[in-house]
PDB file of all heavy atoms in Angstrom:
ATOM      1  N   ARG Q 157      34.291  44.193  22.645  1.00 90.00           N
ATOM      2  CA  ARG Q 157      33.581  45.270  21.953  1.00 90.00           C
ATOM      3  C   ARG Q 157      33.731  45.140  20.442  1.00 90.00           C
ATOM      4  O   ARG Q 157      32.811  45.438  19.683  1.00 90.00           O
ATOM      5  CB  ARG Q 157      34.105  46.630  22.415  1.00 90.00           C
ATOM      6  CG  ARG Q 157      33.667  47.022  23.817  1.00 90.00           C
ATOM      7  CD  ARG Q 157      33.926  48.500  24.079  1.00 90.00           C
ATOM      8  NE  ARG Q 157      35.350  48.799  24.051  1.00 90.00           N
ATOM      9  CZ  ARG Q 157      36.138  48.778  25.107  1.00 90.00           C
ATOM     10  NH1 ARG Q 157      35.645  48.450  26.293  1.00 90.00           N
ATOM     11  NH2 ARG Q 157      37.423  49.079  24.998  1.00 90.00           N
ATOM     12  N   LEU Q 158      34.913  44.704  20.015  1.00 88.00           N
ATOM     13  CA  LEU Q 158      35.176  44.554  18.579  1.00 88.00           C
ATOM     14  C   LEU Q 158      34.384  43.401  17.981  1.00 88.00           C
ATOM     15  O   LEU Q 158      33.930  43.472  16.833  1.00 88.00           O
ATOM     16  CB  LEU Q 158      36.674  44.330  18.357  1.00 88.00           C
ATOM     17  CG  LEU Q 158      37.164  44.190  16.912  1.00 88.00           C
ATOM     18  CD1 LEU Q 158      36.960  45.486  16.160  1.00 88.00           C
ATOM     19  CD2 LEU Q 158      38.627  43.761  16.884  1.00 88.00           C
ATOM     20  N   ALA Q 159      34.193  42.324  18.761  1.00 88.00           N
ATOM     21  CA  ALA Q 159      33.526  41.124  18.253  1.00 88.00           C
ATOM     22  C   ALA Q 159      32.459  40.666  19.249  1.00 88.00           C
ATOM     23  O   ALA Q 159      32.620  39.641  19.908  1.00 88.00           O
ATOM     24  CB  ALA Q 159      34.552  40.019  18.014  1.00 88.00           C
ATOM     25  N   PRO Q 160      31.362  41.406  19.379  1.00 90.00           N
ATOM     26  CA  PRO Q 160      30.357  41.063  20.392  1.00 90.00           C
ATOM     27  C   PRO Q 160      29.619  39.766  20.107  1.00 90.00           C
ATOM     28  O   PRO Q 160      29.026  39.187  21.018  1.00 90.00           O
ATOM     29  CB  PRO Q 160      29.396  42.262  20.355  1.00 90.00           C
ATOM     30  CG  PRO Q 160      29.547  42.819  18.968  1.00 90.00           C
ATOM     31  CD  PRO Q 160      30.984  42.603  18.605  1.00 90.00           C
ATOM     32  N   HIS Q 161      29.620  39.287  18.867  1.00 88.00           N
ATOM     33  CA  HIS Q 161      28.884  38.082  18.515  1.00 88.00           C
ATOM     34  C   HIS Q 161      29.795  36.865  18.319  1.00 88.00           C
ATOM     35  O   HIS Q 161      29.325  35.829  17.846  1.00 88.00           O
ATOM     36  CB  HIS Q 161      28.058  38.317  17.254  1.00 88.00           C
ATOM     37  CG  HIS Q 161      27.107  39.471  17.374  1.00 88.00           C
ATOM     38  ND1 HIS Q 161      26.061  39.478  18.271  1.00 88.00           N
ATOM     39  CD2 HIS Q 161      27.058  40.663  16.721  1.00 88.00           C
ATOM     40  CE1 HIS Q 161      25.401  40.616  18.164  1.00 88.00           C
ATOM     41  NE2 HIS Q 161      25.990  41.360  17.233  1.00 88.00           N
ATOM     42  N   HIS Q 162      31.072  36.992  18.638  1.00 90.00           N
ATOM     43  CA  HIS Q 162      32.015  35.893  18.460  1.00 90.00           C
ATOM     44  C   HIS Q 162      32.374  35.265  19.803  1.00 90.00           C
ATOM     45  O   HIS Q 162      32.407  35.936  20.837  1.00 90.00           O
ATOM     46  CB  HIS Q 162      33.306  36.381  17.784  1.00 90.00           C
ATOM     47  CG  HIS Q 162      33.126  36.760  16.348  1.00 90.00           C
ATOM     48  ND1 HIS Q 162      32.461  37.897  15.954  1.00 90.00           N
ATOM     49  CD2 HIS Q 162      33.520  36.130  15.197  1.00 90.00           C
ATOM     50  CE1 HIS Q 162      32.455  37.963  14.627  1.00 90.00           C
ATOM     51  NE2 HIS Q 162      33.090  36.911  14.147  1.00 90.00           N
ATOM     52  N   ALA Q 163      32.658  33.978  19.767  1.00 92.00           N
ATOM     53  CA  ALA Q 163      33.173  33.290  20.952  1.00 92.00           C
ATOM     54  C   ALA Q 163      34.616  33.725  21.185  1.00 92.00           C
ATOM     55  O   ALA Q 163      35.382  33.907  20.238  1.00 92.00           O
ATOM     56  CB  ALA Q 163      33.084  31.782  20.771  1.00 92.00           C
ATOM     57  N   VAL Q 164      34.985  33.901  22.454  1.00 93.00           N
ATOM     58  CA  VAL Q 164      36.330  34.368  22.802  1.00 93.00           C
ATOM     59  C   VAL Q 164      36.934  33.429  23.845  1.00 93.00           C
ATOM     60  O   VAL Q 164      36.314  33.164  24.888  1.00 93.00           O
ATOM     61  CB  VAL Q 164      36.312  35.807  23.340  1.00 93.00           C
ATOM     62  CG1 VAL Q 164      37.721  36.243  23.757  1.00 93.00           C
ATOM     63  CG2 VAL Q 164      35.760  36.768  22.300  1.00 93.00           C
ATOM     64  N   LEU Q 165      38.128  32.934  23.565  1.00 91.00           N
ATOM     65  CA  LEU Q 165      38.915  32.153  24.512  1.00 91.00           C
ATOM     66  C   LEU Q 165      40.135  32.978  24.911  1.00 91.00           C
ATOM     67  O   LEU Q 165      40.672  33.727  24.087  1.00 91.00           O
ATOM     68  CB  LEU Q 165      39.382  30.838  23.890  1.00 91.00           C
ATOM     69  CG  LEU Q 165      38.313  29.808  23.525  1.00 91.00           C
ATOM     70  CD1 LEU Q 165      38.935  28.679  22.722  1.00 91.00           C
ATOM     71  CD2 LEU Q 165      37.650  29.273  24.782  1.00 91.00           C
ATOM     72  N   VAL Q 166      40.575  32.852  26.172  1.00 89.00           N
ATOM     73  CA  VAL Q 166      41.800  33.531  26.600  1.00 89.00           C
ATOM     74  C   VAL Q 166      42.824  32.482  26.988  1.00 89.00           C
ATOM     75  O   VAL Q 166      42.481  31.407  27.495  1.00 89.00           O
ATOM     76  CB  VAL Q 166      41.530  34.496  27.768  1.00 89.00           C
ATOM     77  CG1 VAL Q 166      40.638  35.632  27.331  1.00 89.00           C
ATOM     78  CG2 VAL Q 166      40.927  33.771  28.963  1.00 89.00           C
ATOM     79  N   LEU Q 167      44.072  32.812  26.734  1.00 87.00           N
ATOM     80  CA  LEU Q 167      45.193  31.907  27.015  1.00 87.00           C
ATOM     81  C   LEU Q 167      46.139  32.588  27.990  1.00 87.00           C
ATOM     82  O   LEU Q 167      46.503  33.754  27.810  1.00 87.00           O
ATOM     83  CB  LEU Q 167      45.916  31.579  25.704  1.00 87.00           C
ATOM     84  CG  LEU Q 167      47.044  30.559  25.772  1.00 87.00           C
ATOM     85  CD1 LEU Q 167      46.504  29.180  26.130  1.00 87.00           C
ATOM     86  CD2 LEU Q 167      47.778  30.513  24.428  1.00 87.00           C
ATOM     87  N   THR Q 168      46.511  31.883  29.046  1.00 86.00           N
ATOM     88  CA  THR Q 168      47.402  32.460  30.044  1.00 86.00           C
ATOM     89  C   THR Q 168      48.180  31.345  30.726  1.00 86.00           C
ATOM     90  O   THR Q 168      47.980  30.158  30.438  1.00 86.00           O
ATOM     91  CB  THR Q 168      46.596  33.271  31.081  1.00 86.00           C
ATOM     92  OG1 THR Q 168      47.484  33.955  31.945  1.00 86.00           O
ATOM     93  CG2 THR Q 168      45.677  32.376  31.879  1.00 86.00           C
ATOM     94  N   GLY Q 169      49.088  31.716  31.644  1.00 81.00           N
ATOM     95  CA  GLY Q 169      49.862  30.731  32.377  1.00 81.00           C
ATOM     96  C   GLY Q 169      49.132  30.232  33.609  1.00 81.00           C
ATOM     97  O   GLY Q 169      48.180  30.862  34.092  1.00 81.00           O
ATOM     98  N   GLU Q 170      49.579  29.099  34.140  1.00 80.00           N
ATOM     99  CA  GLU Q 170      48.940  28.513  35.308  1.00 80.00           C
ATOM    100  C   GLU Q 170      49.032  29.425  36.521  1.00 80.00           C
ATOM    101  O   GLU Q 170      48.173  29.377  37.407  1.00 80.00           O
ATOM    102  CB  GLU Q 170      49.561  27.150  35.629  1.00 80.00           C
ATOM    103  CG  GLU Q 170      49.219  26.070  34.624  1.00 80.00           C
ATOM    104  CD  GLU Q 170      49.675  24.697  35.096  1.00 80.00           C
ATOM    105  OE1 GLU Q 170      49.901  24.533  36.309  1.00 80.00           O
ATOM    106  OE2 GLU Q 170      49.796  23.799  34.251  1.00 80.00           O
ATOM    107  N   ASP Q 171      50.055  30.262  36.597  1.00 80.00           N
ATOM    108  CA  ASP Q 171      50.202  31.162  37.732  1.00 80.00           C
ATOM    109  C   ASP Q 171      49.247  32.343  37.653  1.00 80.00           C
ATOM    110  O   ASP Q 171      49.185  33.158  38.576  1.00 80.00           O
ATOM    111  CB  ASP Q 171      51.643  31.670  37.827  1.00 80.00           C
ATOM    112  CG  ASP Q 171      52.098  32.343  36.531  1.00 80.00           C
ATOM    113  OD1 ASP Q 171      51.477  32.079  35.471  1.00 80.00           O
ATOM    114  OD2 ASP Q 171      53.072  33.117  36.586  1.00 80.00           O
ATOM    115  N   ASP Q 172      48.506  32.463  36.559  1.00 82.00           N
ATOM    116  CA  ASP Q 172      47.540  33.553  36.387  1.00 82.00           C
ATOM    117  C   ASP Q 172      46.111  33.030  36.398  1.00 82.00           C
ATOM    118  O   ASP Q 172      45.242  33.541  35.678  1.00 82.00           O
ATOM    119  CB  ASP Q 172      47.795  34.302  35.065  1.00 82.00           C
ATOM    120  CG  ASP Q 172      49.072  35.122  35.108  1.00 82.00           C
ATOM    121  OD1 ASP Q 172      49.426  35.568  36.223  1.00 82.00           O
ATOM    122  OD2 ASP Q 172      49.694  35.312  34.063  1.00 82.00           O
ATOM    123  N   ALA Q 173      45.839  32.006  37.192  1.00 85.00           N
ATOM    124  CA  ALA Q 173      44.506  31.402  37.207  1.00 85.00           C
ATOM    125  C   ALA Q 173      43.442  32.402  37.645  1.00 85.00           C
ATOM    126  O   ALA Q 173      42.316  32.407  37.125  1.00 85.00           O
ATOM    127  CB  ALA Q 173      44.498  30.183  38.132  1.00 85.00           C
ATOM    128  N   GLU Q 174      43.789  33.274  38.601  1.00 88.00           N
ATOM    129  CA  GLU Q 174      42.798  34.238  39.079  1.00 88.00           C
ATOM    130  C   GLU Q 174      42.417  35.218  37.971  1.00 88.00           C
ATOM    131  O   GLU Q 174      41.260  35.565  37.789  1.00 88.00           O
ATOM    132  CB  GLU Q 174      43.368  35.006  40.284  1.00 88.00           C
ATOM    133  CG  GLU Q 174      42.369  35.975  40.895  1.00 88.00           C
ATOM    134  CD  GLU Q 174      42.910  36.641  42.139  1.00 88.00           C
ATOM    135  OE1 GLU Q 174      43.930  36.146  42.688  1.00 88.00           O
ATOM    136  OE2 GLU Q 174      42.324  37.642  42.576  1.00 88.00           O
ATOM    137  N   ARG Q 175      43.451  35.663  37.217  1.00 88.00           N
ATOM    138  CA  ARG Q 175      43.154  36.568  36.103  1.00 88.00           C
ATOM    139  C   ARG Q 175      42.337  35.865  35.017  1.00 88.00           C
ATOM    140  O   ARG Q 175      41.446  36.460  34.409  1.00 88.00           O
ATOM    141  CB  ARG Q 175      44.448  37.095  35.502  1.00 88.00           C
ATOM    142  CG  ARG Q 175      44.227  38.198  34.467  1.00 88.00           C
ATOM    143  CD  ARG Q 175      45.449  38.467  33.652  1.00 88.00           C
ATOM    144  NE  ARG Q 175      46.633  38.606  34.507  1.00 88.00           N
ATOM    145  CZ  ARG Q 175      47.869  38.550  34.035  1.00 88.00           C
ATOM    146  NH1 ARG Q 175      48.075  38.364  32.761  1.00 88.00           N
ATOM    147  NH2 ARG Q 175      48.899  38.671  34.856  1.00 88.00           N
ATOM    148  N   ALA Q 176      42.608  34.588  34.783  1.00 88.00           N
ATOM    149  CA  ALA Q 176      41.857  33.837  33.782  1.00 88.00           C
ATOM    150  C   ALA Q 176      40.388  33.738  34.189  1.00 88.00           C
ATOM    151  O   ALA Q 176      39.473  33.892  33.357  1.00 88.00           O
ATOM    152  CB  ALA Q 176      42.459  32.445  33.621  1.00 88.00           C
ATOM    153  N   ALA Q 177      40.144  33.467  35.492  1.00 89.00           N
ATOM    154  CA  ALA Q 177      38.766  33.403  35.959  1.00 89.00           C
ATOM    155  C   ALA Q 177      38.082  34.764  35.833  1.00 89.00           C
ATOM    156  O   ALA Q 177      36.901  34.848  35.473  1.00 89.00           O
ATOM    157  CB  ALA Q 177      38.725  32.917  37.407  1.00 89.00           C
ATOM    158  N   GLU Q 178      38.821  35.835  36.106  1.00 91.00           N
ATOM    159  CA  GLU Q 178      38.264  37.175  35.947  1.00 91.00           C
ATOM    160  C   GLU Q 178      37.930  37.460  34.483  1.00 91.00           C
ATOM    161  O   GLU Q 178      36.933  38.128  34.178  1.00 91.00           O
ATOM    162  CB  GLU Q 178      39.265  38.216  36.465  1.00 91.00           C
ATOM    163  CG  GLU Q 178      38.806  39.664  36.310  1.00 91.00           C
ATOM    164  CD  GLU Q 178      37.579  39.987  37.140  1.00 91.00           C
ATOM    165  OE1 GLU Q 178      37.306  39.264  38.124  1.00 91.00           O
ATOM    166  OE2 GLU Q 178      36.886  40.957  36.793  1.00 91.00           O
TER     167      GLU Q 178
END
Side-chain angles (χ1 to χ4, degrees):
R157 287 194 296 269
L158 182 65
H161 303 296
H162 290 72
V164 177
L165 294 171
V166 294
L167 185 66
T168 187
E170 290 189 20
D171 56 340
D172 289 330
E174 183 176 345
R175 188 194 312 165
E178 178 65 21

